[in-house]
Amino acid sequence: MTRRLILDVDTGIDDALGIMLAVKSGFFQIEGITTVNGNVSLQQATLNTCKITEFLGASSIPVIPGADKPLIRKPVFEHRVHGNDGLGGALLDMQPSKRPEAGFGPDFIVETVLRYPGEVTLVMTGPLTNLALALHKCPDLIHHVAEVFFMGGVAGGLGNITPTAEYNAYVDPEAARTVLHAGFRKLTMVGLDVTRRALLRADDIAKLTDPRIREYVADSTSAYFDRYEERNGVRACAMHDPLAVAAAIHPELVTTKPYYVDVETRSELCDGQTVCDFQNRLGRPANVEVCMDLNEQAFIQLFVDTLNRPEAG
Ligand code: BDR
Ligand code: CA
């Protein structure tokens, strides 16, 4: 059986690194990359995704624009972290010949999953709007998707956009709730408390052998390193989205446990906070495989080795 992948991104410095990992690994047949409003506008996320795929020599991968806003809320961009362009100023002058497809991301997800029942893995690294819209259109999708991995939420720890909420869950908590309660056979949450421990450092970047790729990664992450150091006292780039991609490729890099997880949507202070019922106080069945830990060294090694592969994937 062919392992097929749809990546859903709001490209984003770390989304771009996740795309690079997925493409260079060659592990999945990438059916398409759907884009969503998030770190930057839909239009910018789509442009960035076209740039990255072309940069990787992977222009044949379809890029399909999805939702240009959350289900019911206003967009909340993250220019502070990702820069005005979303790629930290890297590839700023690139004018890609690659163009996005004419379709709509959520429709593409539905059509592709139904075309290859049981074969398509979804890796979601932006707000979950596109998947929620796909589920509204086709609730049956849950029976036909192989697996879903999403970078979002925080199981036990601090938020990164409010004191309690992780960015992707905060931007569209109604979409996150739809996905959490949809009933997927396997839904893995790669949350912030774990991705914060997946740190790429300058000496890891120095190990990238292709000078184009090394320069791109150094360029796009340089301001990100500064901001991460200001806030966390460590000079590194947190690899949130690449870890979700890596978990889909090599599940043994992370450990997971099944829990009931929900998300707050009606609180002035805590909207977007994911609540993981570690002690089963609500008495509800587990709906999520929650990432609890990772092998950081093996993950960074995988990232570097994969980007050092000579072939495009
Ligand atoms: C997530 O938020 C975005 O800024 C990143 O791209 C990542 O998907 C981390 O909270
Ligand atoms: Ca992202």
Side-chain angles (χ1 to χ4, degrees):
M1 192 177 74
T2 313
R3 291 175 299 227
R4 303 177 195 276
L5 177 71
I6 298 176
L7 258 178
D8 185 89
V9 294
D10 61 332
T11 317
I13 294 168
D14 58 331
D15 299 79
L17 299 178
I19 294 170
M20 292 174 105
L21 182 59
V23 169
K24 293 282 289 179
S25 76
F27 185 81
F28 287 106
Q29 170 150 330
I30 305 179
E31 296 296 326
I33 305 181
T34 50
T35 57
V36 68
N37 154 84
N39 291 320
V40 290
S41 68
L42 175 71
Q43 201 188 11
Q44 185 72 48
T46 306
L47 174 65
N48 292 349
T49 307
C50 288
K51 284 185 178 181
I52 289 295
T53 48
E54 186 165 311
F55 176 79
L56 290 169
S59 294
S60 59
I61 299 174
V63 172
I64 310 97
D68 63 0
K69 55 181 184 312
L71 292 182
I72 58 172
R73 299 182 186 230
K74 295 206 170 85
V76 181
F77 300 134
E78 198 45 311
H79 294 300
R80 186 183 51 97
V81 174
H82 298 271
N84 283 339
D85 65 319
L87 293 180
L91 304 183
L92 204 53
D93 300 328
M94 180 180 183
Q95 309 226 318
S97 352
K98 165 133 186 87
R99 294 280 174 268
E101 308 297 312
F104 182 48
D107 294 342
F108 178 83
I109 293 174
V110 172
E111 284 153 21
T112 309
V113 169
L114 296 184
R115 185 173 317 130
Y116 304 111
E119 294 185 15
V120 181
T121 294
L122 305 177
V123 176
M124 319 294 296
T125 66
L128 288 163
T129 321
N130 283 341
L131 185 50
L133 289 170
L135 287 163
H136 290 164
K137 182 172 180 187
C138 177
D140 237 23
L141 207 62
I142 55 166
H143 302 299
H144 304 299
V145 170
E147 285 188 65
V148 182
F149 293 81
F150 72 97
M151 190 285 133
V154 51
L158 308 176
N160 62 351
I161 182 84
T162 71
T164 60
E166 181 280 332
Y167 175 81
N168 289 334
Y170 177 80
V171 168
D172 200 344
E174 285 75 20
R177 171 164 279 181
T178 300
V179 171
L180 288 170
H181 295 300
F184 283 106
R185 286 184 292 199
K186 190 151 175 245
L187 175 64
T188 301
M189 168 171 151
V190 183
L192 188 62
D193 40 340
V194 177
T195 63
R196 268 189 175 129
R197 290 184 263 143
L199 297 177
L200 185 77
R201 295 176 169 82
D203 53 343
D204 301 313
I205 298 177
K207 290 182 196 143
L208 296 171
T209 47
D210 179 335
R212 275 179 79 238
I213 289 189
R214 189 172 61 242
E215 272 160 37
Y216 168 78
V217 176
D219 247 31
S220 75
T221 57
S222 78
Y224 194 121
F225 267 76
D226 295 340
R227 278 184 302 275
Y228 199 81
E229 188 175 23
E230 276 159 31
R231 202 165 280 249
N232 303 288
V234 185
R235 202 158 170 73
C237 165
M239 302 281 276
H240 307 294
D241 296 341
L243 186 63
V245 173
I249 299 175
H250 285 293
E252 72 282 359
L253 289 173
V254 294
T255 50
T256 65
K257 281 192 183 168
Y259 288 113
Y260 178 77
V261 179
D262 206 343
V263 57
E264 182 57 72
T265 57
R266 284 175 302 178
S267 161
E268 199 179 321
L269 266 181
C270 298
D271 264 9
Q273 177 180 2
T274 44
V275 176
C276 182
D277 190 4
F278 288 113
Q279 297 182 319
N280 196 23
R281 290 183 183 271
L282 300 171
R284 305 223 170 110
N287 54 346
V288 178
E289 281 293 322
V290 178
C291 250
M292 305 298 292
D293 207 352
L294 85 155
N295 183 338
E296 185 192 359
Q297 220 189 334
F299 163 66
I300 294 296
Q301 187 72 49
L302 170 83
F303 182 78
V304 170
D305 289 349
T306 306
L307 266 56
N308 283 346
R309 289 185 72 186
E311 66 276 32

